[in-house]
Amino acid sequence: MATLIVEDGSIVSGANTYVTVAEFTQFCSDRNITITSTYGDESELLIQAMDYFEQQPFKGIKFVETQPLQFPRSDFYLDGYLTDSDAIPQLVKDAQITIAVSIMQGNDPLTTLDRSVKREQIDVLEIEYMDNAGPSVIIRSISNIMRKLVVSSTMGSSFRTIRV
């Protein structure tokens, strides 16, 4: 069982999660999701989710350069509103939990992608994917929740302007 150190917005030294095991358990319970230990216990799933979450190109900037995690952030707008720079938005917690649930269900967003299969035949069973099929499963629950938190890749370059 991994030791969780929760970031609460006060820039906790050694923080490695935004979510407690109790929050994870409650989220799953509220949605009738059965927690299994196939891919690790709750704390291990939350740490694995952070491995993916922390690599994203988030909007805004880290509040303090040396903080261990990407949040809290300054100049971070969520749904058009500036968030407090000493807060962890609920959407950030929900994103970490959603990623952890996905990993628990066997859909790890950090898995290595294999080459796309064009055609495969085993005895009489044959599989052929469409030419435009992606190389991996798209986990819409992760994509949808992260959409509000990260810089859109369709926007081109992202930069910060400062009025003097």
Side-chain angles (χ1 to χ4, degrees):
M1 179 177 242
T3 301
L4 297 179
I5 303 171
V6 180
E7 174 59 69
D8 60 8
S10 63
I11 307 175
V12 177
S13 178
N16 59 4
T17 185
Y18 301 111
V19 179
T20 65
V21 169
E23 290 171 310
F24 177 74
T25 303
Q26 186 63 53
F27 182 98
C28 291
S29 175
D30 290 347
R31 290 155 182 82
N32 200 25
I33 298 170
T34 303
I35 299 173
T36 62
S37 61
T38 305
Y39 295 93
D41 65 26
E42 292 92 335
S43 60
E44 291 167 340
L45 289 168
L46 290 170
I47 296 292
Q48 291 172 46
M50 288 298 285
D51 291 343
Y52 175 77
F53 184 85
E54 288 292 301
Q55 294 179 24
Q56 304 310 304
F58 293 104
K59 298 175 183 178
I61 57 172
K62 288 171 100 175
F63 186 63
V64 175
E65 181 182 4
T66 57
Q67 68 192 53
L69 300 178
Q70 292 294 321
F71 285 84
R73 296 182 81 74
S74 59
D75 297 327
F76 182 77
Y77 287 82
L78 188 57
D79 292 331
Y81 295 94
L82 182 64
T83 61
D84 292 334
S85 57
D86 62 349
I88 305 300
Q90 185 60 46
L91 189 62
V92 168
K93 293 180 175 196
D94 291 348
Q96 183 185 358
I97 293 171
T98 300
I99 297 164
V101 167
S102 179
I103 292 168
M104 179 181 68
Q105 294 173 338
N107 297 310
D108 187 343
L110 288 175
T111 56
T112 303
L113 300 178
D114 291 332
R115 295 183 335 175
S116 295
V117 175
K118 171 68 174 170
R119 184 179 195 152
E120 184 175 357
Q121 184 171 356
I122 302 170
D123 197 22
V124 294
L125 179 64
E126 183 175 334
I127 299 172
E128 181 173 359
Y129 296 100
M130 299 294 290
D131 289 335
N132 62 350
S136 65
V137 174
I138 296 172
I139 307 167
R140 292 187 193 273
S141 59
I142 293 175
S143 299
N144 289 340
I145 202 161
M146 294 298 290
R147 180 175 41 91
K148 291 184 178 184
L149 300 173
V150 299
V151 176
S152 173
S153 60
T154 60
M155 289 174 36
S157 297
S158 174
F159 57 90
R160 183 175 177 211
T161 59
I162 301 173
R163 175 178 271 173
V164 193

